[in-house]
Amino acid sequence: MKNLRKNYYSPFFSHIYVEKAAADHPRTKRILQRFPQANIIFIDHYKDVFCRRGQNFVLQQRSRKLILAAKQGNLLYEGAPVCQNFGNENFYYTSCMMNCVFDCEYCYLKGMYPSGNIVLFVNLEDIFDEVIEKLKKQAVYLCISYDTDMMAMEQITGYVGEWIRFAKGQADLKRNLKIEIRTKSADISFWQKHTSVPGIIYAITLSPQAVIDAYEHKTPPLGQRIASVKEAVERGFPVRLCFDPMIYIKDWERQYEEMLNQVFEEIDMEKLEDVSVGSFRVSQDFLKKMRKTNPCSAVVQFPYQNDGGVYHYSEELTENMEGFLVDNLKKKIPEDKIFLWEMGKNNE
């Protein structure tokens, strides 16, 4: 898998748990074929494994297990206030997967989920049906890769390809659907295999290499991510560059400046859909759990400020970091294409 670092893929999923209700689904069978050496364990419900007590998220990430399940109940959720809606009304997200193959120390999933294992919901058609019902009444802005990195799993699941086909069908029917797919992956072959479809925006997160080395474990290096963005842009895919979350490190100004210089040198900024900027923030409940499970992480244990249940950097540090990035971006891209996350103002 070209976008992944050494030792990422193997040994991969030595055990796979399968809900009995999902066992005969074609996607289940297709995914299981990719892991002929895995031990298959049938279960009644994914929560019996995923939500059991006494799990250690950090330890489980060293040897993740895969859980295949059928998602039940409500399949679309209203967008969270800590996420940007980019000026779109009717902001929703959905979870086709739970957890991420990457291991970013600051990831809120470490505080949100009790398990480091990965859940794949195989019944995508049920999610598609719920989206269609929404579209019959209103336009929909849908984020499908908040609780995972879907593109990092694409060579296993093919889910992004299925969403592309779904989006094309809705565009053909003149339904007003926008989909954001957010990723830190850098698989250039993806852009070569697929074509741009109206309504899909690929939001690619970039960080300085020093931040990647310190906190974004198992993710592709900055150079590979930039190369992937360049390929996507040149092939006409709508790309949103995400400098979000910005992470404080000792020499943050120099590190972010060097990153921007690399970006400006390689990427035609005029061809970007837009740019997202935001410094680190996380709910107090998630951070409490993250601090308990990762007591030695500098980014997790940082003395953040709490406003209304959301932890973030101090006002001064936030303004310095975000202002620095925005000021530099304005030299290369129109200001109306720069979306800055601000407390309490993004989803109004």
Side-chain angles (χ1 to χ4, degrees), residues 228-313:
S228 181
V229 172
K230 181 178 180 180
E231 183 78 10
V233 168
E234 290 181 351
R235 289 179 176 269
F237 288 87
V239 173
R240 167 176 294 145
L241 277 193
C242 297
F243 303 101
D244 183 5
M246 294 184 71
I247 300 295
Y248 172 79
I249 51 179
K250 187 175 181 180
D251 55 347
W252 68 266
E253 190 167 348
R254 179 177 67 85
Q255 295 293 342
Y256 276 93
E257 182 177 24
E258 290 181 359
M259 176 194 66
L260 287 177
N261 289 339
Q262 288 181 256
V263 170
F264 296 157
E265 183 177 346
E266 296 292 333
I267 298 171
D268 186 345
M269 301 295 286
E270 294 182 357
K271 293 183 179 180
L272 292 175
E273 185 76 10
D274 50 43
V275 174
S276 168
V277 175
S279 53
F280 177 77
R281 66 269 182 193
V282 67
S283 80
Q284 61 181 9
D285 293 336
F286 293 169
L287 186 62
K288 181 179 179 180
K289 295 179 183 178
M290 293 162 66
R291 285 176 166 170
K292 182 178 180 180
T293 58
N294 205 347
C296 297
S297 171
V299 69
V300 171
Q301 301 299 332
F302 190 90
Y304 297 105
Q305 177 179 319
N306 188 342
D307 282 324
V310 177
Y311 275 102
H312 57 89
Y313 295 123

Coordinates of all heavy atoms in Angstrom, one line a residue, residues 228-313:
S228 N 0.6 14.0 -3.4 CA -0.8 13.5 -3.7 C -1.8 14.7 -4.0 O -2.6 14.6 -4.9 CB -1.3 12.8 -2.4 OG -2.6 12.2 -2.7
V229 N -1.6 15.8 -3.2 CA -2.5 17.0 -3.5 C -2.2 17.5 -4.9 O -3.1 17.8 -5.6 CB -2.2 18.1 -2.4 CG1 -2.9 19.4 -2.8 CG2 -2.7 17.6 -1.0
K230 N -1.0 17.6 -5.2 CA -0.6 18.1 -6.5 C -1.2 17.2 -7.6 O -1.7 17.8 -8.6 CB 1.0 18.1 -6.7 CG 1.5 18.7 -8.0 CD 3.0 18.7 -8.0 CE 3.5 19.2 -9.4 NZ 5.0 19.3 -9.4
E231 N -1.1 15.9 -7.5 CA -1.7 15.0 -8.5 C -3.2 15.2 -8.6 O -3.8 15.3 -9.7 CB -1.4 13.6 -8.1 CG -1.9 12.5 -9.1 CD -1.0 12.4 -10.3 OE1 0.1 13.0 -10.3 OE2 -1.4 11.7 -11.3
A232 N -3.9 15.4 -7.4 CA -5.3 15.5 -7.4 C -5.7 16.8 -8.1 O -6.6 16.9 -8.9 CB -5.8 15.5 -6.0
V233 N -5.0 17.9 -7.8 CA -5.4 19.2 -8.3 C -5.1 19.2 -9.8 O -6.0 19.8 -10.6 CB -4.5 20.3 -7.6 CG1 -4.6 21.6 -8.4 CG2 -5.0 20.5 -6.2
E234 N -4.0 18.7 -10.3 CA -3.7 18.7 -11.7 C -4.7 17.8 -12.5 O -4.9 18.1 -13.7 CB -2.3 18.2 -11.9 CG -1.3 19.2 -11.4 CD 0.2 18.7 -11.7 OE1 0.4 17.6 -12.1 OE2 1.1 19.6 -11.5
R235 N -5.3 16.9 -11.8 CA -6.3 16.0 -12.5 C -7.7 16.6 -12.4 O -8.7 15.9 -12.8 CB -6.2 14.6 -12.0 CG -5.0 13.9 -12.5 CD -4.9 12.4 -11.9 NE -3.8 11.7 -12.5 CZ -3.8 11.0 -13.6 NH1 -4.9 10.9 -14.3 NH2 -2.7 10.4 -14.0
G236 N -7.9 17.7 -11.7 CA -9.2 18.4 -11.7 C -10.1 18.0 -10.5 O -11.3 18.4 -10.6
F237 N -9.5 17.4 -9.5 CA -10.4 17.0 -8.4 C -10.5 18.3 -7.5 O -9.5 19.0 -7.2 CB -9.7 15.9 -7.5 CG -9.8 14.6 -8.2 CD1 -8.8 14.2 -9.1 CD2 -10.8 13.7 -7.9 CE1 -8.9 12.9 -9.7 CE2 -10.9 12.5 -8.5 CZ -9.9 12.1 -9.4
P238 N -11.7 18.5 -6.9 CA -11.8 19.6 -6.0 C -11.2 19.3 -4.7 O -11.5 18.3 -4.0 CB -13.4 19.7 -5.8 CG -14.0 19.0 -6.9 CD -13.0 17.9 -7.3
V239 N -10.1 20.1 -4.3 CA -9.3 19.8 -3.1 C -9.4 20.9 -2.1 O -9.3 22.1 -2.5 CB -7.9 19.6 -3.5 CG1 -7.0 19.4 -2.2 CG2 -7.7 18.3 -4.3
R240 N -9.7 20.6 -0.9 CA -9.7 21.5 0.2 C -8.4 21.2 1.0 O -8.3 20.1 1.6 CB -10.9 21.4 1.1 CG -10.9 22.1 2.4 CD -12.2 21.9 3.1 NE -13.3 22.6 2.4 CZ -14.5 22.3 2.3 NH1 -14.9 21.1 2.9 NH2 -15.4 23.0 1.6
L241 N -7.5 22.2 1.1 CA -6.4 22.0 2.0 C -6.7 22.3 3.4 O -7.3 23.4 3.7 CB -5.2 22.9 1.5 CG -4.3 22.4 0.4 CD1 -3.1 23.3 0.3 CD2 -3.9 20.9 0.6
C242 N -6.5 21.4 4.3 CA -6.8 21.6 5.7 C -5.6 21.7 6.6 O -4.8 20.8 6.7 CB -7.6 20.4 6.2 SG -9.2 20.2 5.4
F243 N -5.3 22.9 7.1 CA -4.3 23.2 8.1 C -5.1 23.2 9.4 O -5.2 24.2 10.1 CB -3.6 24.5 7.8 CG -3.0 24.5 6.4 CD1 -3.6 25.2 5.4 CD2 -1.8 23.8 6.2 CE1 -3.0 25.2 4.1 CE2 -1.2 23.9 4.9 CZ -1.8 24.6 3.9
D244 N -5.6 22.0 9.8 CA -6.5 21.9 10.9 C -6.5 20.5 11.4 O -6.9 19.6 10.6 CB -7.9 22.4 10.4 CG -8.9 22.4 11.5 OD1 -8.6 22.1 12.7 OD2 -10.1 22.6 11.2
P245 N -6.1 20.2 12.6 CA -5.7 21.2 13.6 C -4.2 21.7 13.5 O -3.4 20.9 13.2 CB -5.9 20.5 14.9 CG -5.6 19.1 14.6 CD -6.0 18.9 13.2
M246 N -4.0 23.0 13.7 CA -2.7 23.5 14.0 C -2.2 23.0 15.3 O -3.0 23.1 16.3 CB -2.6 25.0 13.9 CG -2.9 25.6 12.5 SD -2.7 27.4 12.5 CE -0.9 27.5 12.6
I247 N -1.0 22.5 15.4 CA -0.5 22.0 16.7 C 0.7 22.8 17.1 O 1.6 23.0 16.3 CB -0.1 20.5 16.6 CG1 -1.3 19.6 16.1 CG2 0.5 20.0 17.8 CD1 -2.4 19.6 17.2
Y248 N 0.7 23.2 18.4 CA 1.8 24.0 18.9 C 3.0 23.1 19.2 O 2.9 22.1 19.8 CB 1.4 24.7 20.2 CG 2.5 25.4 20.9 CD1 3.0 26.6 20.5 CD2 3.2 24.7 22.0 CE1 4.1 27.2 21.1 CE2 4.2 25.4 22.6 CZ 4.7 26.6 22.2 OH 5.8 27.2 22.8
I249 N 4.1 23.6 18.6 CA 5.4 23.0 19.0 C 6.4 24.1 19.3 O 6.1 25.3 18.9 CB 6.0 22.1 17.9 CG1 6.0 22.8 16.5 CG2 5.2 20.7 17.8 CD1 6.5 21.9 15.4
K250 N 7.5 23.9 19.8 CA 8.4 24.9 20.3 C 8.7 25.9 19.3 O 8.7 27.1 19.5 CB 9.7 24.3 20.9 CG 10.6 25.3 21.6 CD 11.8 24.6 22.2 CE 12.7 25.6 22.9 NZ 13.8 24.9 23.6
D251 N 9.1 25.5 18.1 CA 9.4 26.4 17.0 C 8.4 26.4 15.9 O 8.7 26.3 14.7 CB 10.8 26.1 16.4 CG 10.9 24.7 15.9 OD1 10.0 23.9 16.3 OD2 11.8 24.3 15.2
W252 N 7.1 26.6 16.3 CA 6.0 26.4 15.4 C 6.0 27.3 14.3 O 5.7 27.0 13.1 CB 4.7 26.6 16.2 CG 4.4 27.9 16.7 CD1 4.7 28.4 18.0 CD2 3.8 29.0 16.0 NE1 4.3 29.7 18.1 CE2 3.8 30.1 16.9 CE3 3.3 29.2 14.7 CZ2 3.2 31.4 16.5 CZ3 2.7 30.4 14.4 CH2 2.7 31.5 15.2
E253 N 6.4 28.6 14.5 CA 6.4 29.6 13.4 C 7.3 29.1 12.2 O 7.0 29.2 11.1 CB 6.8 30.9 13.9 CG 6.6 32.1 12.9 CD 6.7 33.4 13.5 OE1 6.7 33.5 14.8 OE2 6.7 34.4 12.8
R254 N 8.5 28.7 12.6 CA 9.5 28.3 11.5 C 9.0 27.0 10.8 O 9.0 26.9 9.6 CB 10.9 28.0 12.1 CG 11.9 27.5 11.1 CD 13.3 27.3 11.7 NE 13.3 26.3 12.7 CZ 13.5 25.0 12.4 NH1 13.6 24.6 11.1 NH2 13.5 24.1 13.3
Q255 N 8.4 26.1 11.6 CA 8.0 24.8 11.0 C 6.8 25.0 10.1 O 6.7 24.5 9.0 CB 7.5 23.9 12.2 CG 8.7 23.4 13.1 CD 9.7 22.6 12.3 OE1 9.4 22.0 11.3 NE2 10.9 22.4 12.9
Y256 N 5.8 25.9 10.5 CA 4.7 26.2 9.6 C 5.1 27.0 8.4 O 4.5 26.8 7.3 CB 3.6 26.8 10.4 CG 2.7 25.8 11.1 CD1 3.0 25.5 12.4 CD2 1.6 25.2 10.5 CE1 2.2 24.5 13.1 CE2 0.8 24.3 11.1 CZ 1.1 23.9 12.4 OH 0.4 23.0 13.1
E257 N 6.1 27.9 8.5 CA 6.6 28.6 7.4 C 7.2 27.7 6.4 O 7.0 27.8 5.2 CB 7.5 29.7 7.8 CG 8.1 30.6 6.7 CD 9.0 31.7 7.2 OE1 9.6 31.5 8.3 OE2 9.1 32.7 6.5
E258 N 8.0 26.8 6.8 CA 8.7 25.8 5.9 C 7.7 24.9 5.2 O 7.8 24.6 4.0 CB 9.7 24.9 6.7 CG 10.9 25.7 7.2 CD 11.9 24.8 7.9 OE1 11.6 23.6 8.1 OE2 13.0 25.3 8.4
M259 N 6.6 24.5 6.0 CA 5.6 23.7 5.3 C 4.9 24.5 4.2 O 4.7 24.0 3.1 CB 4.5 23.3 6.4 CG 3.3 22.6 5.8 SD 2.0 22.5 7.0 CE 1.5 24.2 7.1
L260 N 4.5 25.8 4.5 CA 3.9 26.6 3.5 C 4.7 26.8 2.3 O 4.3 26.8 1.1 CB 3.5 27.9 4.1 CG 2.3 27.9 5.1 CD1 2.1 29.3 5.7 CD2 1.0 27.4 4.4
N261 N 6.0 27.0 2.5 CA 6.9 27.2 1.4 C 6.9 25.9 0.5 O 6.9 26.1 -0.8 CB 8.4 27.4 1.9 CG 8.5 28.8 2.5 OD1 7.7 29.7 2.2 ND2 9.5 29.0 3.3
Q262 N 6.9 24.8 1.1 CA 6.8 23.5 0.3 C 5.5 23.5 -0.5 O 5.4 23.1 -1.7 CB 6.9 22.3 1.2 CG 8.3 22.0 1.7 CD 8.3 20.8 2.6 OE1 8.3 20.8 3.8 NE2 8.3 19.6 1.9
V263 N 4.4 23.8 0.2 CA 3.1 23.8 -0.5 C 3.0 24.8 -1.6 O 2.6 24.4 -2.7 CB 2.0 24.2 0.6 CG1 0.6 24.4 -0.1 CG2 1.9 23.1 1.6
F264 N 3.5 26.0 -1.4 CA 3.4 27.0 -2.5 C 4.3 26.7 -3.7 O 4.0 27.0 -4.8 CB 3.8 28.4 -1.9 CG 2.9 28.9 -0.8 CD1 3.4 29.9 0.1 CD2 1.6 28.5 -0.7 CE1 2.6 30.4 1.1 CE2 0.8 29.0 0.2 CZ 1.2 30.0 1.1
E265 N 5.4 26.0 -3.4 CA 6.3 25.6 -4.5 C 5.7 24.5 -5.4 O 5.9 24.5 -6.6 CB 7.6 25.1 -3.9 CG 8.7 24.8 -4.9 CD 10.0 24.4 -4.3 OE1 10.2 24.6 -3.1 OE2 10.9 23.8 -5.0
E266 N 4.9 23.6 -4.8 CA 4.5 22.4 -5.5 C 3.0 22.5 -6.0 O 2.7 21.9 -7.0 CB 4.6 21.2 -4.6 CG 6.0 20.8 -4.2 CD 6.8 20.4 -5.4 OE1 6.2 19.8 -6.4 OE2 8.1 20.6 -5.5
I267 N 2.2 23.3 -5.3 CA 0.7 23.2 -5.6 C 0.3 24.6 -6.2 O 0.6 25.6 -5.7 CB 0.0 22.9 -4.3 CG1 0.3 21.5 -3.8 CG2 -1.5 23.0 -4.5 CD1 -0.2 21.3 -2.4
D268 N -0.5 24.5 -7.2 CA -1.1 25.7 -7.8 C -2.3 26.1 -6.9 O -3.4 25.5 -7.0 CB -1.6 25.3 -9.2 CG -2.1 26.6 -10.0 OD1 -2.4 27.6 -9.3 OD2 -2.3 26.5 -11.2
M269 N -2.1 27.1 -6.1 CA -3.1 27.5 -5.1 C -4.4 28.0 -5.7 O -5.4 27.9 -5.1 CB -2.5 28.5 -4.1 CG -1.2 28.0 -3.4 SD -1.6 26.7 -2.2 CE -2.4 27.6 -0.9
E270 N -4.3 28.5 -6.9 CA -5.5 29.1 -7.6 C -6.4 28.0 -8.0 O -7.6 28.3 -8.2 CB -5.0 29.8 -8.8 CG -4.2 31.1 -8.5 CD -3.9 31.9 -9.8 OE1 -4.2 31.4 -10.9 OE2 -3.3 33.0 -9.6
K271 N -6.0 26.7 -8.0 CA -6.9 25.6 -8.4 C -7.5 24.9 -7.3 O -8.3 24.0 -7.4 CB -6.1 24.6 -9.2 CG -5.6 25.1 -10.6 CD -4.9 24.0 -11.4 CE -4.4 24.5 -12.7 NZ -3.7 23.5 -13.5
L272 N -7.2 25.4 -6.0 CA -7.8 24.7 -4.9 C -9.3 25.2 -4.7 O -9.7 26.3 -5.1 CB -7.1 25.1 -3.6 CG -5.6 24.6 -3.4 CD1 -5.0 25.2 -2.2 CD2 -5.6 23.1 -3.4
E273 N -10.1 24.3 -4.2 CA -11.5 24.6 -3.8 C -11.5 25.7 -2.7 O -12.1 26.7 -2.9 CB -12.2 23.4 -3.4 CG -13.7 23.6 -3.1 CD -14.5 23.6 -4.4 OE1 -14.0 23.3 -5.5 OE2 -15.7 24.0 -4.3
D274 N -10.8 25.4 -1.7 CA -10.7 26.4 -0.6 C -9.6 25.9 0.4 O -9.0 24.8 0.2 CB -12.0 26.7 0.1 CG -12.8 25.4 0.5 OD1 -12.1 24.5 1.0 OD2 -14.0 25.4 0.3
V275 N -9.5 26.6 1.5 CA -8.5 26.2 2.6 C -9.2 26.3 3.9 O -9.9 27.3 4.2 CB -7.3 27.1 2.5 CG1 -6.3 26.8 3.7 CG2 -6.5 26.9 1.2
S276 N -8.9 25.4 4.8 CA -9.4 25.4 6.1 C -8.3 25.6 7.1 O -7.2 25.0 7.0 CB -10.1 24.0 6.4 OG -10.4 23.9 7.8
V277 N -8.5 26.5 8.1 CA -7.5 26.8 9.1 C -8.2 26.7 10.5 O -9.3 27.2 10.7 CB -6.9 28.2 9.0 CG1 -6.0 28.5 10.1 CG2 -6.2 28.3 7.6
G278 N -7.5 26.0 11.4 CA -8.1 26.0 12.8 C -7.0 25.4 13.7 O -6.4 24.4 13.4
S279 N -6.9 25.9 14.9 CA -6.0 25.3 15.9 C -6.7 24.2 16.7 O -7.9 24.1 16.6 CB -5.5 26.4 16.8 OG -6.5 27.1 17.4
F280 N -5.9 23.4 17.4 CA -6.4 22.3 18.1 C -7.5 22.7 19.1 O -7.4 23.6 19.8 CB -5.3 21.6 18.8 CG -5.7 20.4 19.6 CD1 -6.0 19.2 19.1 CD2 -5.8 20.5 21.0 CE1 -6.4 18.1 19.8 CE2 -6.3 19.4 21.8 CZ -6.6 18.2 21.2
R281 N -8.6 21.9 19.1 CA -9.6 22.0 20.1 C -10.3 20.6 20.3 O -10.3 19.8 19.3 CB -10.7 23.0 19.7 CG -11.5 22.7 18.5 CD -10.9 23.2 17.2 NE -11.8 23.0 16.0 CZ -11.3 23.1 14.8 NH1 -10.1 23.5 14.6 NH2 -12.1 22.9 13.8
V282 N -10.8 20.4 21.4 CA -11.4 19.1 21.7 C -12.3 19.2 22.9 O -12.1 20.1 23.8 CB -10.3 18.0 22.1 CG1 -9.5 18.4 23.3 CG2 -10.8 16.6 22.1
S283 N -13.4 18.4 23.0 CA -14.3 18.5 24.1 C -13.6 18.1 25.4 O -12.7 17.2 25.4 CB -15.5 17.6 23.8 OG -15.3 16.3 24.1
Q284 N -14.1 18.6 26.5 CA -13.5 18.4 27.8 C -13.6 16.9 28.2 O -12.7 16.3 28.8 CB -14.1 19.2 28.9 CG -15.6 19.1 29.1 CD -16.1 20.0 30.2 OE1 -15.4 20.9 30.6 NE2 -17.3 19.8 30.6
D285 N -14.7 16.3 27.8 CA -14.9 14.9 28.1 C -13.9 14.0 27.4 O -13.4 13.0 28.0 CB -16.4 14.4 27.8 CG -17.4 15.1 28.7 OD1 -17.0 15.5 29.8 OD2 -18.5 15.3 28.3
F286 N -13.7 14.3 26.1 CA -12.8 13.5 25.4 C -11.3 13.7 25.9 O -10.6 12.7 26.0 CB -12.8 13.9 23.9 CG -14.1 13.5 23.2 CD1 -14.4 14.0 21.9 CD2 -15.0 12.7 23.8 CE1 -15.6 13.7 21.3 CE2 -16.2 12.4 23.2 CZ -16.5 12.9 21.9
L287 N -11.0 14.9 26.2 CA -9.6 15.2 26.6 C -9.3 14.5 28.0 O -8.2 14.0 28.2 CB -9.3 16.7 26.7 CG -7.9 17.1 27.0 CD1 -7.0 16.6 25.9 CD2 -7.8 18.6 27.2
K288 N -10.3 14.4 28.8 CA -10.2 13.8 30.1 C -9.8 12.3 29.9 O -8.8 11.8 30.6 CB -11.5 13.9 30.9 CG -11.4 13.2 32.3 CD -12.7 13.4 33.0 CE -12.6 12.7 34.4 NZ -13.9 12.8 35.1
K289 N -10.4 11.6 29.0 CA -10.1 10.2 28.7 C -8.7 10.1 28.0 O -8.0 9.2 28.3 CB -11.2 9.6 27.8 CG -12.5 9.5 28.5 CD -13.6 8.9 27.6 CE -14.9 8.9 28.2 NZ -16.0 8.4 27.2
M290 N -8.4 11.0 27.1 CA -7.2 11.0 26.4 C -6.0 11.2 27.4 O -5.0 10.5 27.3 CB -7.1 12.1 25.3 CG -8.1 11.8 24.2 SD -8.5 13.3 23.2 CE -6.9 13.7 22.5
R291 N -6.1 12.1 28.4 CA -5.1 12.3 29.3 C -4.9 11.1 30.2 O -3.8 10.8 30.7 CB -5.4 13.5 30.1 CG -5.2 14.8 29.4 CD -5.6 16.1 30.2 NE -5.0 17.3 29.5 CZ -5.4 18.5 29.9 NH1 -6.3 18.7 30.8 NH2 -4.8 19.5 29.2
K292 N -5.9 10.4 30.5 CA -5.8 9.2 31.3 C -5.1 8.1 30.7 O -4.3 7.4 31.3 CB -7.2 8.7 31.8 CG -7.2 7.5 32.7 CD -8.7 7.2 33.1 CE -8.7 6.0 34.0 NZ -10.0 5.6 34.4
T293 N -5.4 7.9 29.3 CA -4.8 6.8 28.6 C -3.4 7.1 28.0 O -2.7 6.2 27.7 CB -5.7 6.3 27.5 OG1 -6.0 7.4 26.6 CG2 -7.0 5.8 28.1
N294 N -3.1 8.4 27.9 CA -1.8 8.8 27.3 C -1.1 9.8 28.2 O -1.0 11.0 27.8 CB -2.0 9.2 25.9 CG -0.7 9.1 25.1 OD1 0.4 8.8 25.6 ND2 -0.9 9.2 23.8
P295 N -0.7 9.5 29.4 CA -0.1 10.5 30.3 C 1.2 11.1 29.9 O 1.6 12.1 30.5 CB 0.0 9.7 31.6 CG 0.2 8.3 31.2 CD -0.7 8.1 30.0
C296 N 1.9 10.5 29.0 CA 3.2 11.0 28.6 C 3.2 11.9 27.3 O 4.3 12.3 26.8 CB 4.2 9.9 28.5 SG 4.5 8.9 30.0
S297 N 2.0 12.1 26.8 CA 1.9 12.8 25.5 C 1.9 14.3 25.8 O 1.1 14.9 26.4 CB 0.7 12.4 24.8 OG 0.5 13.3 23.7
A298 N 2.9 15.0 25.2 CA 3.0 16.5 25.4 C 1.8 17.2 24.8 O 1.3 18.2 25.4 CB 4.3 17.0 24.7
V299 N 1.3 16.7 23.7 CA 0.2 17.4 23.0 C -1.1 17.2 23.8 O -2.0 18.0 23.8 CB 0.0 17.0 21.5 CG1 -0.4 15.5 21.4 CG2 -1.0 17.9 20.8
V300 N -1.3 16.0 24.4 CA -2.5 15.7 25.2 C -2.4 16.4 26.5 O -3.5 16.9 27.0 CB -2.6 14.2 25.4 CG1 -3.7 13.8 26.4 CG2 -2.9 13.5 24.0
Q301 N -1.3 16.5 27.2 CA -1.2 17.1 28.5 C -0.9 18.6 28.5 O -0.8 19.2 29.6 CB 0.0 16.4 29.2 CG -0.2 14.9 29.4 CD -1.4 14.5 30.2 OE1 -1.9 15.2 31.0 NE2 -1.9 13.3 29.9
F302 N -0.9 19.2 27.4 CA -0.7 20.7 27.3 C -1.8 21.4 28.1 O -2.9 21.0 28.2 CB -0.8 21.1 25.8 CG -0.4 22.5 25.5 CD1 0.9 22.8 25.2 CD2 -1.3 23.6 25.6 CE1 1.3 24.1 25.0 CE2 -1.0 24.9 25.4 CZ 0.4 25.2 25.1
P303 N -1.4 22.5 28.8 CA -2.4 23.2 29.6 C -3.3 24.1 28.8 O -3.2 25.3 28.7 CB -1.4 24.1 30.5 CG -0.2 24.3 29.6 CD 0.0 23.1 28.9
Y304 N -4.3 23.4 28.2 CA -5.3 24.1 27.4 C -6.3 25.0 28.2 O -6.4 24.8 29.4 CB -6.1 23.1 26.6 CG -5.3 22.3 25.6 CD1 -5.0 21.0 25.9 CD2 -4.8 22.9 24.4 CE1 -4.2 20.2 25.0 CE2 -4.0 22.1 23.6 CZ -3.7 20.8 23.8 OH -3.0 20.1 23.0
Q305 N -6.9 25.9 27.5 CA -8.0 26.7 28.2 C -9.3 26.1 27.9 O -9.6 25.6 26.8 CB -7.9 28.1 27.6 CG -8.9 29.1 28.1 CD -8.7 30.5 27.4 OE1 -7.6 30.9 27.3 NE2 -9.8 31.1 27.0
N306 N -10.2 26.1 28.9 CA -11.6 25.5 28.7 C -12.6 26.6 28.6 O -12.8 27.5 29.5 CB -11.9 24.6 29.9 CG -13.1 23.8 29.7 OD1 -14.0 24.1 28.9 ND2 -13.3 22.8 30.5
D307 N -13.3 26.6 27.5 CA -14.4 27.5 27.3 C -15.6 26.7 26.9 O -15.7 26.1 25.8 CB -14.1 28.6 26.1 CG -13.2 29.7 26.6 OD1 -13.3 30.1 27.8 OD2 -12.3 30.1 25.8
G308 N -16.7 26.8 27.7 CA -17.9 26.1 27.4 C -17.8 24.6 27.1 O -18.5 24.1 26.3
G309 N -16.8 24.0 27.8 CA -16.7 22.5 27.6 C -15.8 22.1 26.4 O -15.6 21.0 26.1
V310 N -15.1 23.1 25.8 CA -14.2 22.9 24.7 C -12.8 23.4 25.1 O -12.6 24.5 25.5 CB -14.6 23.6 23.4 CG1 -13.5 23.4 22.3 CG2 -15.9 23.1 23.0
Y311 N -11.8 22.5 25.1 CA -10.4 22.8 25.4 C -9.7 23.3 24.2 O -9.9 22.7 23.1 CB -9.7 21.6 26.0 CG -9.8 21.5 27.5 CD1 -10.7 20.5 28.0 CD2 -9.1 22.2 28.4 CE1 -10.9 20.3 29.3 CE2 -9.3 22.1 29.8 CZ -10.1 21.1 30.2 OH -10.3 20.9 31.6
H312 N -8.9 24.4 24.3 CA -8.2 25.0 23.2 C -7.0 25.8 23.7 O -6.9 26.0 24.9 CB -9.1 25.9 22.3 CG -9.7 27.0 23.1 ND1 -9.2 28.2 23.2 CD2 -10.9 27.0 23.8 CE1 -9.9 29.0 24.0 NE2 -11.0 28.3 24.3
Y313 N -6.2 26.2 22.8 CA -5.0 27.0 23.2 C -5.5 28.4 23.7 O -6.7 28.8 23.5 CB -4.1 27.3 22.0 CG -3.4 26.0 21.5 CD1 -3.5 25.6 20.2 CD2 -2.6 25.2 22.3 CE1 -2.9 24.5 19.7 CE2 -2.0 24.1 21.9 CZ -2.1 23.7 20.5 OH -1.5 22.6 20.1

